[in-house]
Amino acid sequence: IDVPRGRATAGALGGESAGVRFIRCDITREADVSSAIAETIDTFGTLDILVNNAGVNTYFDATTMTEDEWEKVFAVDLKGAWLCCKHALPHMRDQGAGSIVNIASLHAFMTNDNMFPYAAAKSGMVGMTRSLALDFGKHQIRVNAICPGWVRTQLVDEWLELQPEGKAAEQRVLDQQPLGRMATPMEIANFVAFVASDEASYLTGAALLIDGGLSARFAN
């Protein structure tokens, strides 16, 4: 966990004087999650929105991936989101309102070779979203999944660096994009903010693609 970066980000957003606090949390550890959510409620008095955004890219052969590697991948890409929901939902239920946004992926709908088991984890995120939306809708809690396509993030840069064709790999990706470019993180963040907000008050149980039209290109 990059604590200095987290604190720097909170400071750049105005810090505690602006109602922003960085809380260190390992989402794969239930005690950490429980403590972080309790501290959040103690600090702000309520918990209105949860965004599950943690994730890791994975590249394994299904026949050689070890059980330990599988557990580590799903601990971040799926279990962590469940733990955050587990400890946020009771508070949202008590207050009779809340919005959860799970960051899934285009890979939940279509994927590339050599992306195992990332697509499996993100498909699980979409399934969890649907289940929670149905189970907690009666408490006016909305649960949705955002499924981005290519976004210029650290994870994407790391993937591009692994490609043997070098810069040609990035151009190959860009050539597939109907808009001719990747999304910026801010474009995804703006969409998440809308889905989490009261402006989307009748939206729940949805898995929303924001992929610049890439899935339209390959639609059946």
Side-chain angles (χ1 to χ4, degrees):
I1 298 175
D2 192 341
V3 173
R5 186 177 180 183
R7 289 174 176 164
T9 300
L13 293 171
E16 295 199 17
S17 62
V20 179
R21 172 177 285 193
F22 167 73
I23 301 173
R24 183 188 183 282
C25 176
D26 180 347
I27 64 163
T28 70
R29 296 170 55 88
E30 185 166 9
D32 275 21
V33 173
S34 176
S35 176
I37 288 179
E39 184 177 344
T40 299
I41 294 169
D42 184 60
T43 300
F44 298 105
T46 186
L47 179 61
D48 302 307
I49 296 170
L50 168 66
V51 179
N52 284 309
N53 190 44
V56 291
N57 272 353
T58 55
Y59 315 101
F60 289 100
D61 182 321
T63 65
T64 59
M65 184 182 191
T66 67
E67 185 176 1
D68 184 60
E69 288 169 336
W70 172 276
E71 297 290 352
K72 287 180 179 178
V73 168
F74 275 79
V76 176
D77 281 352
L78 189 54
K79 174 188 170 184
W82 161 63
L83 287 175
C84 290
C85 290
K86 175 182 178 179
H87 288 275
L89 281 165
H91 300 282
M92 292 180 173
R93 182 178 56 203
D94 289 346
Q95 66 193 20
S99 179
I100 296 174
V101 182
N102 295 318
I103 308 302
S105 171
L106 173 64
H107 287 275
F109 297 91
M110 51 185 289
T111 190
N112 298 325
D113 51 359
N114 301 318
M115 288 294 293
F116 183 84
Y118 185 76
K122 291 304 184 180
S123 296
M125 181 80 84
V126 170
M128 183 179 72
T129 297
R130 295 189 183 114
S131 292
L132 295 180
L134 292 176
D135 291 347
F136 290 89
K138 59 181 173 288
H139 301 293
Q140 302 306 305
I141 299 169
R142 298 187 300 108
V143 188
N144 292 288
I146 302 299
C147 303
W150 288 90
V151 186
R152 181 62 77 178
T153 64
Q154 179 181 335
L155 291 180
V156 167
D157 287 340
E158 290 173 355
W159 182 85
L160 289 170
E161 289 174 3
L162 291 173
Q163 305 314 300
E165 64 265 49
K167 283 290 184 182
E170 179 171 350
Q171 191 57 53
R172 172 170 52 81
V173 170
L174 294 176
D175 288 344
Q176 292 180 335
Q177 310 304 312
L179 294 179
R181 64 177 179 84
M182 298 184 196
T184 67
M186 185 56 71
E187 286 175 309
I188 306 303
N190 287 337
F191 189 45
V192 171
F194 165 71
V195 172
S197 76
D198 290 340
E199 296 298 313
S201 57
Y202 198 58
L203 181 68
T204 195
L208 302 164
L209 286 161
I210 176 169
D211 64 357
L214 183 60
S215 57
R217 180 182 296 281
F218 295 101
N220 291 329

